[in-house]
Amino acid sequence: MGYCKPYGIKFISWTIVGGFAGTIGLDPHLLYTLSAVQILALLNRLDVLDIEMISEYVAGLQNEDGSFSGDMWGEIDTRFSYCAICCLSILHCLDKINVGKAVNYILSCKNLDGGFGATPGGESHAGQIFCCVGTLSITGSLHHVDRDLLGWWLCERQCPDGGLNGRPEKLADVCYSWWVLSSLIMIDRVHWIDKSKLTEYILNCQDSENGGISDRPDNAVDVFHTYFGVAGLSLMEYPGLKPIDPAYALPVDVVNRIFFSKF
Amino acid sequence: MSSDEDEWVPFSRRPEWSDVKPVPQDDGPHPVVPIAYRADFRETMDYFRAVYLSGERSHRALNLTAEAISMNPGNYTVWYFRRLVLEAVDADLNDEMEYINCVASKNSKNYQIWHHKRWLAEKLGPEVAQKELEFTKRIFAIDAKNYHAWSHRQWVLDALGGWQNELDYCTELLEDDIFNNSAWNQRYFVITRSPLLGGLQSMRESEVSYAVEAILSNPENESPWRYLRGLYKGDPNLLICNNQISGVCLQVLKTKHNIIFPLSLLLELLCHGFQPSTEFVSAVEALRTSVPESSSTSSLANTICSVLEIVDPIRSNYWSWRRSHLPSQVC
């Protein structure tokens, strides 16, 4: 979906129904619609969007039970609730959906360990927890979270090597530095993990010769894990990095520009 | 549907495609990051774009989507178009299910494939419930924690039924690997949702015994400890009254090994009003030999937190937070 330079905007592909696709010629999907909106927010070019049309597209994917489908084919997942709500919030259009029902759907996915899954009854997974806690954070509904129980489950994700895993008995992976840490920050429990050991883990996943960050030490680097590693370091206030907002996954100055600048 | 690379014939040399003009990908005049597609991939997608744009819903279009999928199963637009074609040509959806099972076995972590399966299963209805459950079983035999397969299985049970042997299946998976948190989660799903078992309250007693047994075999296993608490979610008064639960904490603590989870659960019990006998006090006291500064006047809950700060150093901030936020009655 394009790339991050101002003149890359023309490469962002959008479709007649208002949503964005992964690339030119594909069908629209909530995942790419949020990415497109986030990228334009980063570039301070939300003005190129037809906000009315996009917000109608996103709002149209809400189901009767409050959940969201990813596209017209109806796959339902709490990831899509996050995509929809984050996107509409950035566009100042949350009034177009039933926020109460959306929150209730998220709460129906809460588990015995305080975490959240993809659908009601689905196993708690740190990635899904980010989506659910992020949705609750954006909608001002964090009071529904059992912060101490969830916080403990999240800090139990720190492995002896310092890295974080996404579910019990799984290996640590740099991407969870983002999913777990951002969730812990949103529920105000990030001081429960050992930050210096996690920082060390992320830095150990760097390719010190060619750059980039991998999922775990000595693996091949990729752009996703590089993002998650840098974002995780930013959440831990690593020197030289801009602060990142844990709910919107955008730099704090961008979020401030979206919500506090005059139009 | 020839996907074998040795036999692959370019579309431009297939007579049945001679009437179609391929549509190349439009990357604009100055592509920023051109992708070095393989020639067969590029050509297949050029023909796919042609039929997609012309809206041709035919058997050859169906075969074309299968070739495109074999090259990139993550292209969700190809799947989307395939469903339109399946509907238009009135295809046999049981054949389609066989096809998708084949694709899914090779790509078990692909969202599009599982969604396609669900779309089919929904159309085919309850008669395929058993087959779908069997299919996820085959996936679990390779990867017992595959999140997509678990989501699919839960959906099948909810939407199409087939609950009869589900608890036994969970037991079977846990016999293979008692640390499998996905299977523990499924167990909780079954006892709380199965229409055949009478719900959480009627299952509580037997499930407590099951979890306690699992704990005693592997006290370091996080899952059954959490499961025990889940059995009494919203009912802490009943949790503290069950002697089996306080008993398993004591039993593990006495071994002086793997004490993190029993100490944590005991702390929970105390915070909800559990009155410890002297046996609990001495079991915890016995653990604090290595805690230098704890004074003999501190409460049991306080001591538990101090011990945990030492034995679980990576989470020492958590345990010290717990210590400073103890309810007044246990301070």
Side-chain angles (χ1 to χ4, degrees):
Chain A
M1 183 189 321
Y3 66 111
C4 291
K5 279 185 187 171
Y7 49 86
I9 289 170
K10 67 183 175 187
F11 287 95
I12 292 181
S13 127
W14 65 332
T15 61
I16 202 102
V17 289
F20 283 83
T23 186
I24 295 166
L26 296 194
D27 293 297
H29 197 287
L30 263 181
L31 290 167
Y32 304 105
T33 302
L34 172 62
S35 293
V37 168
Q38 283 173 318
I39 291 167
L40 290 170
L42 273 172
L43 302 175
N44 198 16
R45 288 305 308 272
L46 288 171
D47 61 295
V48 304
L49 291 174
D50 182 337
I51 290 173
E52 184 68 25
M53 193 159 81
I54 296 175
S55 55
E56 287 296 325
Y57 168 75
V58 175
L61 291 169
Q62 188 171 31
N63 302 304
E64 194 45 45
D65 62 359
S67 66
F68 281 83
S69 300
D71 64 8
M72 62 165 288
W73 288 95
E75 184 187 1
I76 292 169
D77 187 317
T78 47
R79 286 180 303 143
F80 306 142
S81 297
Y82 172 77
C83 290
I85 280 168
C86 184
C87 183
L88 291 177
S89 173
I90 292 173
L91 300 175
H92 306 281
C93 290
L94 273 178
D95 57 331
K96 292 206 173 171
I97 56 159
N98 188 326
V99 172
K101 277 189 169 184
V103 167
N104 283 337
Y105 182 75
I106 296 286
L107 297 177
S108 73
C109 298
K110 186 152 85 168
N111 289 320
L112 61 91
D113 47 29
F116 297 85
T119 47
E123 186 183 1
S124 293
H125 180 290
Q128 305 290 155
I129 290 172
F130 162 80
C131 293
C132 294
V133 174
T135 303
L136 297 175
S137 168
I138 291 170
T139 56
S141 315
L142 282 174
H143 54 282
H144 292 298
V145 178
D146 187 339
R147 292 173 188 233
D148 296 343
L149 185 62
L150 175 58
W152 180 45
W153 189 88
L154 287 168
C155 76
E156 276 291 328
R157 305 283 56 81
Q158 191 160 29
C159 302
D161 60 9
L164 297 162
N165 65 18
R167 286 188 272 167
E169 297 295 317
K170 296 283 246 178
L171 288 173
D173 181 320
V174 159
C175 73
Y176 296 108
S177 311
W178 168 259
W179 308 119
V180 173
L181 271 185
S182 58
S183 303
L184 279 168
I185 290 178
M186 287 188 272
I187 61 169
D188 197 19
R189 298 290 181 271
V190 76
H191 52 291
W192 288 356
I193 63 145
D194 188 327
K195 287 190 196 177
S196 63
K197 285 194 89 166
L198 177 58
T199 304
E200 200 183 320
Y201 179 83
I202 298 173
L203 296 177
N204 279 340
C205 294
Q206 273 191 114
D207 181 333
S208 50
E209 281 161 29
N210 303 309
I213 298 173
S214 57
D215 55 352
R216 47 189 73 108
D218 300 325
N219 279 1
V221 301
D222 63 75
V223 71
F224 289 102
H225 289 91
T226 305
Y227 169 79
F228 290 126
V230 172
L233 290 170
S234 163
L235 289 174
M236 293 188 288
E237 300 171 327
Y238 191 81
L241 296 177
K242 271 189 176 184
I244 188 166
D245 184 279
Y248 290 94
L250 291 168
V252 169
D253 60 350
V254 172
V255 174
N256 288 342
R257 188 170 68 210
I258 295 166
F259 294 108
F260 300 115
S261 63
K262 288 183 181 154
F263 289 92
Chain B
M1 236 191 276
S2 60
S3 58
D4 195 325
E5 276 181 52
D6 298 335
E7 296 171 19
W8 196 81
V9 178
F11 285 85
S12 54
R13 297 217 307 262
R14 300 185 198 182
E16 73 272 26
W17 285 99
S18 59
D19 58 315
V20 174
K21 191 171 179 292
V23 179
Q25 179 164 310
D26 180 11
D27 282 337
H30 307 292
V32 186
V33 272
I35 299 173
Y37 296 115
R38 265 183 13 215
D40 56 346
F41 180 85
R42 182 187 297 274
E43 201 197 17
T44 305
M45 292 314 293
D46 290 352
Y47 277 82
F48 171 76
R49 268 185 288 277
V51 297
Y52 179 69
L53 292 171
S54 71
E56 179 186 319
R57 295 172 193 180
S58 61
H59 285 283
R60 72 172 180 182
L62 193 64
N63 293 340
L64 172 60
T65 59
E67 285 194 52
I69 285 165
S70 73
M71 293 173 178
N72 175 16
N75 186 321
Y76 60 95
T77 287
V78 176
W79 285 107
Y80 155 90
F81 184 65
R82 186 173 175 87
R83 285 190 283 275
L84 293 179
V85 176
L86 284 168
E87 281 177 336
V89 304
D90 202 17
D92 183 339
L93 297 183
N94 287 301
D95 291 348
E96 181 68 4
M97 189 61 101
E98 262 178 54
Y99 160 74
I100 189 73
N101 285 350
C102 203
V103 183
S105 309
K106 293 179 206 136
N107 303 274
S108 66
K109 289 197 171 181
N110 170 302
Y111 282 103
Q112 286 74 35
I113 292 171
W114 287 101
H115 181 59
H116 191 72
K117 254 183 94 56
R118 184 179 302 191
W119 178 79
L120 282 172
E122 202 160 23
K123 287 191 171 286
L124 292 166
E127 66 184 59
V128 297
Q130 276 314 320
K131 278 191 193 160
E132 288 307 288
L133 295 176
E134 278 304 315
F135 181 78
T136 56
K137 251 188 189 182
R138 291 210 296 279
I139 299 291
F140 297 138
I142 305 157
D143 174 9
K145 298 174 188 176
N146 184 308
Y147 205 93
H148 304 271
W150 278 115
S151 296
H152 187 69
R153 191 172 181 96
Q154 292 191 341
W155 175 81
V156 170
L157 290 166
D158 263 342
L160 309 177
W163 292 94
Q164 304 80 330
N165 304 315
E166 197 60 12
L167 192 62
D168 291 343
Y169 179 54
C170 294
T171 305
E172 198 183 302
L173 282 175
L174 289 170
E175 273 166 14
D176 289 346
D177 176 14
I178 197 74
F179 291 88
N180 181 349
N181 192 60
S182 305
W184 282 102
N185 184 71
Q186 184 72 353
R187 196 170 181 98
Y188 196 76
F189 182 81
V190 177
I191 62 159
T192 51
R193 287 167 188 254
S194 167
L196 311 175
L197 295 176
L200 176 61
Q201 286 179 17
S202 61
M203 294 302 291
R204 212 174 243 162
E205 211 181 299
S206 54
E207 288 305 288
V208 167
S209 302
Y210 183 82
V212 163
E213 201 183 315
I215 286 171
L216 291 174
S217 65
N218 294 86
E220 74 278 28
N221 186 359
E222 176 178 346
S223 304
W225 289 104
R226 291 194 189 276
Y227 189 77
L228 265 189
R229 292 187 204 206
L231 292 173
Y232 288 92
K233 204 168 164 55
D235 250 340
N237 293 333
L238 290 175
L239 175 76
I240 63 172
C241 291
N242 187 328
N243 292 334
Q244 252 189 303
I245 291 175
S246 49
V248 72
C249 294
L250 185 62
Q251 206 175 332
V252 178
L253 289 177
K254 281 179 170 172
T255 67
K256 297 191 178 181
H257 291 291
N258 304 308
I259 58 173
I260 294 176
F261 293 113
L263 280 179
S264 160
L265 183 54
L266 181 55
L267 182 64
E268 208 62 34
L269 297 176
L270 292 169
C271 290
H272 285 112
F274 173 70
Q275 298 299 319
S277 65
T278 49
E279 231 186 327
F280 283 89
V281 179
S282 26
V284 174
E285 286 295 323
L287 299 168
R288 77 185 219 169
T289 47
S290 57
V291 184
E293 86 276 32
S294 57
S295 78
S296 55
T297 55
S298 70
S299 71
L300 184 59
N302 215 304
T303 310
I304 288 173
C305 293
S306 307
V307 173
L308 282 165
E309 276 173 60
I310 306 283
V311 297
D312 191 18
I314 208 161
R315 274 164 286 277
S316 62
N317 288 338
Y318 170 67
W319 298 116
S320 93
W321 183 92
R322 286 295 300 267
R323 186 150 55 104
S324 56
H325 286 74
L326 287 172
S328 54
Q329 69 272 20
V330 295
C331 277

